[in-house]
Short mmCIF file of all heavy atoms in Angstrom, two decimals:
data_model
loop_
_atom_site.label_atom_id
_atom_site.label_comp_id
_atom_site.label_asym_id
_atom_site.label_seq_id
_atom_site.Cartn_x
_atom_site.Cartn_y
_atom_site.Cartn_z
N PHE A 322 -35.36 -0.19 -25.78
CA PHE A 322 -35.90 -0.58 -24.48
C PHE A 322 -35.37 -1.92 -24.01
O PHE A 322 -35.84 -2.46 -23.02
CB PHE A 322 -37.43 -0.56 -24.53
CG PHE A 322 -37.96 0.80 -24.84
CD1 PHE A 322 -38.35 1.13 -26.14
CD2 PHE A 322 -38.01 1.79 -23.87
CE1 PHE A 322 -38.80 2.40 -26.45
CE2 PHE A 322 -38.46 3.06 -24.17
CZ PHE A 322 -38.86 3.36 -25.46
N ASP A 323 -34.44 -2.48 -24.74
CA ASP A 323 -33.81 -3.71 -24.26
C ASP A 323 -32.67 -3.30 -23.34
O ASP A 323 -32.01 -2.30 -23.56
CB ASP A 323 -33.19 -4.48 -25.44
CG ASP A 323 -34.19 -4.75 -26.53
OD1 ASP A 323 -34.62 -3.77 -27.19
OD2 ASP A 323 -34.54 -5.92 -26.74
N GLY A 324 -32.40 -4.15 -22.33
CA GLY A 324 -31.25 -3.89 -21.48
C GLY A 324 -29.97 -4.06 -22.28
O GLY A 324 -29.89 -4.93 -23.14
N HIS A 325 -28.96 -3.24 -21.97
CA HIS A 325 -27.72 -3.29 -22.74
C HIS A 325 -27.03 -4.64 -22.60
O HIS A 325 -26.57 -5.23 -23.58
CB HIS A 325 -26.78 -2.16 -22.30
CG HIS A 325 -25.56 -2.02 -23.15
ND1 HIS A 325 -24.56 -1.11 -22.90
CD2 HIS A 325 -25.14 -2.70 -24.26
CE1 HIS A 325 -23.61 -1.23 -23.80
NE2 HIS A 325 -23.92 -2.17 -24.63
N HIS A 326 -26.95 -5.15 -21.37
CA HIS A 326 -26.24 -6.42 -21.18
C HIS A 326 -26.94 -7.53 -21.95
O HIS A 326 -26.31 -8.36 -22.61
CB HIS A 326 -26.16 -6.75 -19.69
CG HIS A 326 -25.28 -7.93 -19.40
ND1 HIS A 326 -25.50 -8.78 -18.37
CD2 HIS A 326 -24.18 -8.41 -20.03
CE1 HIS A 326 -24.58 -9.74 -18.37
NE2 HIS A 326 -23.76 -9.53 -19.35
N GLN A 327 -28.27 -7.53 -21.86
CA GLN A 327 -29.05 -8.54 -22.57
C GLN A 327 -28.79 -8.48 -24.06
O GLN A 327 -28.56 -9.48 -24.73
CB GLN A 327 -30.51 -8.24 -22.26
CG GLN A 327 -31.50 -9.30 -22.64
CD GLN A 327 -32.88 -8.85 -22.20
OE1 GLN A 327 -33.15 -8.62 -21.02
NE2 GLN A 327 -33.78 -8.71 -23.16
N LEU A 328 -28.78 -7.26 -24.62
CA LEU A 328 -28.54 -7.09 -26.05
C LEU A 328 -27.14 -7.56 -26.43
O LEU A 328 -26.93 -8.14 -27.50
CB LEU A 328 -28.60 -5.60 -26.42
CG LEU A 328 -29.92 -5.03 -26.88
CD1 LEU A 328 -29.74 -3.54 -27.12
CD2 LEU A 328 -30.38 -5.72 -28.17
N SER A 329 -26.18 -7.31 -25.56
CA SER A 329 -24.79 -7.60 -25.92
C SER A 329 -24.57 -9.09 -26.11
O SER A 329 -23.61 -9.51 -26.74
CB SER A 329 -23.84 -7.07 -24.85
OG SER A 329 -23.87 -7.88 -23.69
N HIS A 330 -25.48 -9.91 -25.58
CA HIS A 330 -25.32 -11.34 -25.71
C HIS A 330 -25.84 -11.89 -27.04
O HIS A 330 -25.66 -13.06 -27.33
CB HIS A 330 -26.03 -12.07 -24.57
CG HIS A 330 -25.21 -12.13 -23.31
ND1 HIS A 330 -24.22 -13.06 -23.13
CD2 HIS A 330 -25.21 -11.36 -22.20
CE1 HIS A 330 -23.65 -12.87 -21.95
NE2 HIS A 330 -24.23 -11.85 -21.36
N THR A 331 -26.47 -11.04 -27.84
CA THR A 331 -27.02 -11.53 -29.10
C THR A 331 -25.90 -11.73 -30.12
O THR A 331 -24.85 -11.13 -30.00
CB THR A 331 -28.04 -10.54 -29.66
OG1 THR A 331 -27.39 -9.30 -29.94
CG2 THR A 331 -29.14 -10.29 -28.65
N ASN A 332 -26.16 -12.57 -31.10
CA ASN A 332 -25.09 -12.79 -32.08
C ASN A 332 -25.41 -12.14 -33.41
O ASN A 332 -26.47 -11.54 -33.60
CB ASN A 332 -24.77 -14.28 -32.24
CG ASN A 332 -25.92 -15.03 -32.89
OD1 ASN A 332 -26.69 -14.47 -33.66
ND2 ASN A 332 -26.02 -16.30 -32.58
N GLU A 333 -24.46 -12.24 -34.31
CA GLU A 333 -24.52 -11.46 -35.55
C GLU A 333 -25.67 -11.85 -36.44
O GLU A 333 -25.99 -11.13 -37.38
CB GLU A 333 -23.19 -11.59 -36.30
CG GLU A 333 -22.16 -10.62 -35.77
CD GLU A 333 -20.84 -11.29 -35.38
OE1 GLU A 333 -20.54 -12.35 -35.97
OE2 GLU A 333 -20.16 -10.77 -34.49
N SER A 334 -26.31 -12.99 -36.17
CA SER A 334 -27.41 -13.38 -37.04
C SER A 334 -28.63 -12.52 -36.79
O SER A 334 -29.55 -12.49 -37.59
CB SER A 334 -27.76 -14.85 -36.81
OG SER A 334 -28.16 -15.01 -35.47
N SER A 335 -28.63 -11.81 -35.67
CA SER A 335 -29.80 -10.98 -35.41
C SER A 335 -29.50 -9.55 -35.82
O SER A 335 -28.95 -8.77 -35.05
CB SER A 335 -30.14 -11.05 -33.91
OG SER A 335 -31.10 -10.07 -33.61
N ALA A 336 -29.87 -9.22 -37.04
CA ALA A 336 -29.51 -7.90 -37.58
C ALA A 336 -30.11 -6.77 -36.78
O ALA A 336 -29.47 -5.75 -36.55
CB ALA A 336 -29.95 -7.81 -39.04
N SER A 337 -31.34 -6.97 -36.31
CA SER A 337 -31.99 -5.86 -35.61
C SER A 337 -31.29 -5.59 -34.28
O SER A 337 -31.14 -4.44 -33.86
CB SER A 337 -33.47 -6.15 -35.40
OG SER A 337 -33.62 -7.22 -34.50
N ASP A 338 -30.85 -6.65 -33.59
CA ASP A 338 -30.15 -6.44 -32.32
C ASP A 338 -28.79 -5.82 -32.53
O ASP A 338 -28.36 -4.96 -31.77
CB ASP A 338 -30.00 -7.77 -31.57
CG ASP A 338 -31.33 -8.25 -31.01
OD1 ASP A 338 -32.19 -7.39 -30.72
OD2 ASP A 338 -31.52 -9.46 -30.88
N GLN A 339 -28.10 -6.25 -33.59
CA GLN A 339 -26.79 -5.65 -33.88
C GLN A 339 -26.97 -4.18 -34.23
O GLN A 339 -26.12 -3.35 -33.89
CB GLN A 339 -26.11 -6.39 -35.04
CG GLN A 339 -25.74 -7.83 -34.70
CD GLN A 339 -24.72 -7.92 -33.58
OE1 GLN A 339 -23.59 -7.46 -33.70
NE2 GLN A 339 -25.12 -8.53 -32.47
N ALA A 340 -28.06 -3.86 -34.89
CA ALA A 340 -28.32 -2.46 -35.23
C ALA A 340 -28.53 -1.65 -33.96
O ALA A 340 -28.05 -0.52 -33.83
CB ALA A 340 -29.55 -2.35 -36.13
N LYS A 341 -29.24 -2.23 -32.99
CA LYS A 341 -29.45 -1.52 -31.73
C LYS A 341 -28.12 -1.30 -31.01
O LYS A 341 -27.85 -0.21 -30.51
CB LYS A 341 -30.38 -2.32 -30.81
CG LYS A 341 -31.83 -2.30 -31.23
CD LYS A 341 -32.68 -3.16 -30.29
CE LYS A 341 -34.11 -3.22 -30.81
NZ LYS A 341 -34.90 -4.27 -30.13
N LEU A 342 -27.29 -2.32 -30.98
CA LEU A 342 -25.98 -2.17 -30.33
C LEU A 342 -25.16 -1.10 -31.03
O LEU A 342 -24.50 -0.29 -30.39
CB LEU A 342 -25.22 -3.51 -30.33
CG LEU A 342 -25.69 -4.55 -29.33
CD1 LEU A 342 -25.01 -5.88 -29.59
CD2 LEU A 342 -25.39 -4.10 -27.90
N THR A 343 -25.21 -1.11 -32.36
CA THR A 343 -24.48 -0.11 -33.13
C THR A 343 -24.94 1.29 -32.75
O THR A 343 -24.13 2.20 -32.58
CB THR A 343 -24.66 -0.35 -34.64
OG1 THR A 343 -24.20 -1.67 -34.94
CG2 THR A 343 -23.90 0.66 -35.47
N THR A 344 -26.24 1.43 -32.62
CA THR A 344 -26.80 2.74 -32.24
C THR A 344 -26.28 3.17 -30.88
O THR A 344 -25.93 4.34 -30.68
CB THR A 344 -28.34 2.67 -32.21
OG1 THR A 344 -28.80 2.18 -33.45
CG2 THR A 344 -28.95 4.02 -31.92
N ILE A 345 -26.22 2.23 -29.95
CA ILE A 345 -25.72 2.54 -28.61
C ILE A 345 -24.26 3.00 -28.66
O ILE A 345 -23.89 4.04 -28.10
CB ILE A 345 -25.85 1.32 -27.67
CG1 ILE A 345 -27.32 1.04 -27.34
CG2 ILE A 345 -25.06 1.54 -26.37
CD1 ILE A 345 -27.55 -0.25 -26.58
N TYR A 346 -23.43 2.24 -29.38
CA TYR A 346 -22.01 2.59 -29.39
C TYR A 346 -21.77 3.87 -30.16
O TYR A 346 -20.86 4.64 -29.82
CB TYR A 346 -21.17 1.43 -29.94
CG TYR A 346 -21.34 0.16 -29.12
CD1 TYR A 346 -21.61 -1.07 -29.72
CD2 TYR A 346 -21.27 0.21 -27.73
CE1 TYR A 346 -21.79 -2.20 -28.96
CE2 TYR A 346 -21.46 -0.93 -26.95
CZ TYR A 346 -21.72 -2.13 -27.58
OH TYR A 346 -21.91 -3.26 -26.82
N ARG A 347 -22.54 4.11 -31.17
CA ARG A 347 -22.43 5.38 -31.89
C ARG A 347 -22.79 6.54 -30.97
O ARG A 347 -22.15 7.59 -31.00
CB ARG A 347 -23.34 5.36 -33.12
CG ARG A 347 -23.20 6.60 -33.98
CD ARG A 347 -24.41 6.79 -34.90
NE ARG A 347 -24.50 8.17 -35.31
CZ ARG A 347 -23.92 8.68 -36.39
NH1 ARG A 347 -23.21 7.87 -37.17
NH2 ARG A 347 -24.05 9.96 -36.69
N TRP A 348 -23.81 6.32 -30.12
CA TRP A 348 -24.17 7.37 -29.15
C TRP A 348 -23.01 7.63 -28.21
O TRP A 348 -22.70 8.77 -27.88
CB TRP A 348 -25.43 6.96 -28.38
CG TRP A 348 -25.88 8.03 -27.46
CD1 TRP A 348 -26.61 9.15 -27.77
CD2 TRP A 348 -25.61 8.12 -26.06
NE1 TRP A 348 -26.82 9.92 -26.65
CE2 TRP A 348 -26.22 9.32 -25.59
CE3 TRP A 348 -24.94 7.33 -25.14
CZ2 TRP A 348 -26.16 9.72 -24.26
CZ3 TRP A 348 -24.87 7.73 -23.81
CH2 TRP A 348 -25.48 8.91 -23.39
N TYR A 349 -22.33 6.56 -27.77
CA TYR A 349 -21.16 6.75 -26.91
C TYR A 349 -20.07 7.53 -27.65
O TYR A 349 -19.37 8.35 -27.07
CB TYR A 349 -20.61 5.40 -26.42
CG TYR A 349 -21.33 4.85 -25.20
CD1 TYR A 349 -21.81 3.54 -25.18
CD2 TYR A 349 -21.52 5.63 -24.05
CE1 TYR A 349 -22.46 3.02 -24.06
CE2 TYR A 349 -22.17 5.12 -22.94
CZ TYR A 349 -22.64 3.82 -22.95
OH TYR A 349 -23.28 3.31 -21.84
N ALA A 350 -19.93 7.26 -28.95
CA ALA A 350 -18.95 8.01 -29.74
C ALA A 350 -19.31 9.49 -29.78
O ALA A 350 -18.44 10.36 -29.76
CB ALA A 350 -18.85 7.45 -31.16
N GLU A 351 -20.60 9.79 -29.82
CA GLU A 351 -21.02 11.20 -29.77
C GLU A 351 -20.61 11.84 -28.46
O GLU A 351 -20.19 13.00 -28.41
CB GLU A 351 -22.54 11.32 -29.93
CG GLU A 351 -23.04 11.07 -31.34
CD GLU A 351 -24.56 11.04 -31.43
OE1 GLU A 351 -25.23 11.22 -30.38
OE2 GLU A 351 -25.08 10.80 -32.53
N GLN A 352 -20.71 11.07 -27.38
CA GLN A 352 -20.30 11.61 -26.07
C GLN A 352 -18.78 11.84 -26.05
O GLN A 352 -18.30 12.85 -25.57
CB GLN A 352 -20.70 10.66 -24.93
CG GLN A 352 -22.15 10.20 -24.95
CD GLN A 352 -23.11 11.34 -25.27
OE1 GLN A 352 -23.19 12.35 -24.57
NE2 GLN A 352 -23.85 11.19 -26.36
N PHE A 353 -18.05 10.88 -26.58
CA PHE A 353 -16.60 11.01 -26.65
C PHE A 353 -16.23 12.25 -27.47
O PHE A 353 -15.36 13.03 -27.09
CB PHE A 353 -16.01 9.73 -27.27
CG PHE A 353 -14.51 9.63 -27.21
CD1 PHE A 353 -13.87 9.25 -26.05
CD2 PHE A 353 -13.73 9.89 -28.34
CE1 PHE A 353 -12.48 9.13 -26.00
CE2 PHE A 353 -12.35 9.76 -28.29
CZ PHE A 353 -11.72 9.39 -27.13
N ALA A 354 -16.94 12.44 -28.57
CA ALA A 354 -16.68 13.59 -29.43
C ALA A 354 -16.95 14.89 -28.67
O ALA A 354 -16.19 15.85 -28.77
CB ALA A 354 -17.54 13.52 -30.69
N TYR A 355 -18.03 14.91 -27.92
CA TYR A 355 -18.37 16.10 -27.14
C TYR A 355 -17.25 16.42 -26.16
O TYR A 355 -16.80 17.56 -26.04
CB TYR A 355 -19.69 15.85 -26.39
CG TYR A 355 -20.12 16.97 -25.48
CD1 TYR A 355 -20.82 18.07 -25.98
CD2 TYR A 355 -19.83 16.94 -24.11
CE1 TYR A 355 -21.23 19.10 -25.14
CE2 TYR A 355 -20.23 17.97 -23.27
CZ TYR A 355 -20.93 19.04 -23.79
OH TYR A 355 -21.33 20.06 -22.96
#
Side-chain angles (χ1 to χ4, degrees):
Chain A
F322 299 99
D323 306 68
H325 187 183
H326 188 211
Q327 192 177 300
L328 267 177
S329 75
H330 277 279
T331 62
N332 68 28
E333 277 127 27
S334 61
S335 169
S337 67
D338 288 332
Q339 294 297 297
K341 286 178 184 167
L342 284 171
T343 301
T344 306
I345 290 172
Y346 301 131
R347 184 199 159 90
W348 184 80
Y349 277 130
E351 286 174 0
Q352 310 317 301
F353 189 79
Y355 177 84

